[in-house]
Amino acid sequence: MKLSSNENPHGASPAAVDAVRDAAAEISVYPKAAHTDLTAKLAEKWDLGTEQVWVSPGADGAIDYLSRAMLDPADPVLVPDPGFSYYGMSARYHHGDVRRYELSKADDFAMTADTVLDAYDGERIVFVTSPHNPTGATMARSEIESLLSGVDEGTLVVVDEAYGEFAEEPSAAALLDDYDNLAVLRTFSKAYGLAGLRIGYALVPEAWADAYAKVSTPFAASEAALRAAMAALDDEAHVEKSVESAAWAREHIHEQLEAPTFDSEANFVLCAVGDGAPSPRLPSRRA
Amino acid sequence: MIVRDCSSFGLPGCIRISCGTEAETRRAVETLNDVLAELEAAEV
C-alpha cells in the first residue's frame, strides 16, 4: 500500500481512461487540436482568455516555463522551507539563486503575507503553495492579496494550487483580473488522478499573452494527456468523490492516529511521529 | 505500507500520509499506531 505520493486512491475518471484508449488510434500525429481544445476549455472554466492558460507537462512543466520567462542568471527566487523541492531545482536549472522563507512548526506552519514579506528582499519570483506541501496549511486569499500588494514591481508571485480542489479556500485565480504580478499553478495529477500522464497548467496575467510561444516546449503535453484532461474535467462527480473521500480520510487520521497531526486542506496529513530514536531523557530533578 | 518521510522537506520526525480509500486509510492508521506503540514500549 503506497500512501507516499498523494495520488488519487480512486484512480482516474473512467471517462479519462476511455479517452486515453481512444487516443491510441492517433498517436502518430503531433498533438495540436487537442492542445487548443484543452486550453479553450480551461479558459472557459476559469473565465480567462485562452492566452492566459499555459498548458504544460505537469505543474512542474509550468514551473519551468515561468523560470524561463522570468529568470536571468543569478536572479533569486524565494521558496518556502519546508517546501516542495522542484521550485528551487527549476530556478537552479535556469541559473537562478534560491532563498528561503521559514514556516514555523511551532506556529502550525501558518502562512500569512508577513511570513513571506519578512524574508522577502526583492526576489524575482516568490513561491507560495496553498494548500502547502507537506504541511497541508493554506494561505487565505486576503493574505495573498496583501502579498501581491507588498512585493516590488518586477516580482512575480506564483501560487501553487496543485492541491486546490481539496481546499475550501477559493482559488487565487480570481485575483488575475486585478493583479498582473500573479501566476496560479494547477495540475491534473491529484484530484483528477492523472499523475502518470503529466498534465497541468499555469494561469497567468492577460499582459503575458505573447510569452507562452516564447517559452513553451513544442508539443510538450501528449495527445493522450490532453484528451484525458478534457474528459476528466467533464467528470465532476469523480472529482467530488475524490475530494469527499480525502476529507473523510483526513478526519480519520486526525482523530485516530496516536501522534500529533497538523490541520490539512489537502489529500494528505502531516504527522509528528518522532525520529524513531529513543527520546532524550529529561535531566532528573533534584529534590 | 509506504508513507513519506519528511526529512527531505526539512522536517525530521515527521511523516506525510496520503489519504487513501477508506479501507486503506483505516489500515494505515492501525499499522502506524502499532508501530508507535512498539516504539514507546521499547523506550520504557
Side-chain angles (χ1 to χ4, degrees), chain A residues 8 10 13 165-166 191-192 232-248:
Chain A
N8 191 323
H10 307 289
S13 154
E165 287 82 4
F166 300 103
Y192 291 95
L233 280 173
D234 284 335
D235 190 351
E236 285 171 20
H238 186 77
V239 177
E240 237 170 80
K241 175 182 158 184
S242 305
V243 168
E244 281 170 16
S245 153
W248 177 87

Side-chain angles (χ1 to χ4, degrees), chain A residues 1 3-6 9 82-83 133-134 246 248-249 252 256-258 267-274 279 281, chain B residues 1-4 6 9 11 13-22 24-29 32-33 36 39 43:
Chain A
M1 182 164 69
L3 298 178
S4 55
S5 299
N6 306 335
N133 180 19
W248 177 87
H252 183 76
Q256 302 297 324
L257 189 75
E258 284 158 21
N267 65 340
F268 54 80
V269 177
L270 183 71
C271 313
V273 291
S279 49
R281 304 237 176 246
Chain B
M1 186 183 80
I2 310 168
V3 295
R4 179 67 189 262
C6 289
F9 285 106
L11 290 173
C14 289
I15 56 168
R16 188 191 67 189
I17 310 172
S18 302
C19 295
T21 60
E22 190 170 327
E24 286 170 342
T25 306
R26 286 185 192 281
R27 224 177 94 209
V29 168
L32 280 166
N33 280 344
L36 288 166
L39 282 173
E43 276 177 35

Side-chain angles (χ1 to χ4, degrees), chain A residues 160-241:
Chain A
D160 181 351
E161 297 182 340
Y163 299 97
E165 287 82 4
F166 300 103
E168 284 184 22
E169 193 65 34
S171 171
L175 300 173
L176 283 164
D177 291 340
D178 300 321
Y179 295 88
D180 61 5
N181 59 343
L182 165 70
V184 177
L185 303 178
R186 307 282 299 202
T187 184
F188 287 94
S189 299
K190 306 301 176 183
Y192 291 95
L194 300 181
L197 285 176
R198 315 308 306 129
I199 185 85
Y201 56 99
L203 302 171
V204 305
E206 209 171 0
W208 290 33
D210 302 333
Y212 184 66
K214 292 179 190 159
V215 300
S216 63
T217 304
F219 308 118
S222 76
E223 181 77 19
L226 293 161
R227 289 207 197 182
M230 282 189 274
L233 280 173
D234 284 335
D235 190 351
E236 285 171 20
H238 186 77
V239 177
E240 237 170 80
K241 175 182 158 184

